[in-house]
Amino acid sequence: MTGLLTPTPTPPTTALAPVPVHAHALPTGSGPGLPLAHGVGSQHDLPLSPFYAYAGAFAALLVSFLALGLLWSSSRFRGDLSGRPLPAALQRVADAPATRAALRLLGAAAALLVLLHLLLGPDDPDRNPAPGAVYVLLWVGLVPASLLLGPVWRLLNPLRALHSLRPPRNPRPLPAGPGIRPAALGLLLFTWLELVAPDNTSSATLLTALAVHTGVLLLGAARYGDRWFAHADPFEVYSSLLARLSPLGRRADGRLVLRSPFHGLDATPQAPGLVAAVCVLLGSTAYDGLSDNPRWITALQTSPLGPVPTATLGLLASVALVAACYGLCAGALRLMNRTLTTPLTSFAHSLLPIALGYLVAHYFSLFVTEGPRTVMMAGGTDNAPAPAPLLAPGGLATLQVAAIVTGHVLGVVAAHDRSVRLFPADRAVAGQLPLFALMIAYTLGGIGLLIA
């Protein structure tokens, strides 16, 4: 159980309907190719009734907000002080050097296998499992793995294994100012590669991206030591943030525990760059939803700038819009409580369940179809077909809306508990109004992108 090992402290048709295809860029005449969403495939899901989707979402948020205001008057989450300890024998196995070495070797072997497929395999994502391994098994697979088992990438990270072969003798102190901003930038660059970059499934593109990623992280680790990975590796930070919602964690005393995900969420460090990382996750998944919209596809193909620059601006604008909305909310919170000195980071943890809901909504169908297909190709099946969808279109649309609404409701709960802790009792509920308005805006926007 990996999570127990957390360290101690096509162009559109005349009807403008997107065509579900795999891999390569869509042709755009004489211009550069337009990459598909998700990097390896896209499927346009049938929508639900807009009225019922919006009404249900608004009702769920309103009822939860009113119930919390009436029944929840003091903070109940205890962060890393909470949790029921797991058996000591299980902790000894989890912390054993042999266990950690085995997991590190497993991650290194998987990375080597992907590299060999990129170097020696066919440059065709329908016959080469490497693109699916990067865009599906790694990027999407880290979501359920981190939720169930904790920050798994820290234990499997092959770059940590490489670094451990020759660590620096006297690493320099890691500057406190940047925080996890380097990882937030890495997340933005990876989502650009996944959603915007032309030929993003080609071996040359992936090899270049992996070389840059490896070089930056290993050079940083050679200067600052292995602590650099926790601040600069986008996949490690991504996994660690999602793991805040895992029922497995560690208390402040180092004990492995089972706990409510809300306690783990409450213990999210308010590090510089936390807001940037979460806004990249929210903004990129929002752009992912927009990228399947027929009007946006037409706009990319007719833009005088070209599809790639226009798509890049669209991605950046999506992230900037999410960040601006949260910044306005934080500013309103500061006006309502002058003693709140860190309004940006104090409530940033409440955005993590929202980001998780967006990730589930946008990537569930991709993971359950392209994930098994990638595994079959890795096992030697040439041009493996994708399995049949687990859910009918209506069921999938319901799941997507439910994931977004649930994520926002959990965000409301986390924000309420933090609000009653930081605000005076007579202003605790009123102090949440900017956050509640933000949650409604994010919810309606997320559902709008699904049913558009």
Side-chain angles (χ1 to χ4, degrees), residues 14 20 37 197 299 336 370 382 385 426:
T14 54
M336 299 179 72
E370 292 293 339
D382 192 28
D426 58 342

Side-chain angles (χ1 to χ4, degrees), residues 25-36 196-199 307-308:
L26 291 172
T28 58
S30 59
L34 172 63
L36 284 174
V196 176
D199 297 325
V308 173

Side-chain angles (χ1 to χ4, degrees), residues 270 330-344 346-347 418-427:
Q270 296 182 33
L333 291 172
R334 180 71 173 87
L335 291 175
M336 299 179 72
N337 185 2
R338 293 291 184 179
T339 63
L340 185 61
T341 57
T342 57
L344 280 173
S346 292
F347 292 90
R418 184 63 58 86
S419 179
V420 296
R421 183 187 305 170
L422 298 179
F423 282 77
D426 58 342
R427 284 185 286 169

Side-chain angles (χ1 to χ4, degrees), residues 11 29 36 51 69-70 117 139 149 196 205 219 221 226-227 255 281 285 296 345 369 388 403 416 435:
L36 284 174
F51 173 79
L70 292 173
H117 276 291
W139 178 243
L149 302 171
V196 176
T205 299
L219 286 174
D226 60 1
R227 292 168 297 176
R255 287 298 304 271
L281 293 177
T285 49
W296 179 247
T345 55
T369 55
H416 176 85
L435 282 165

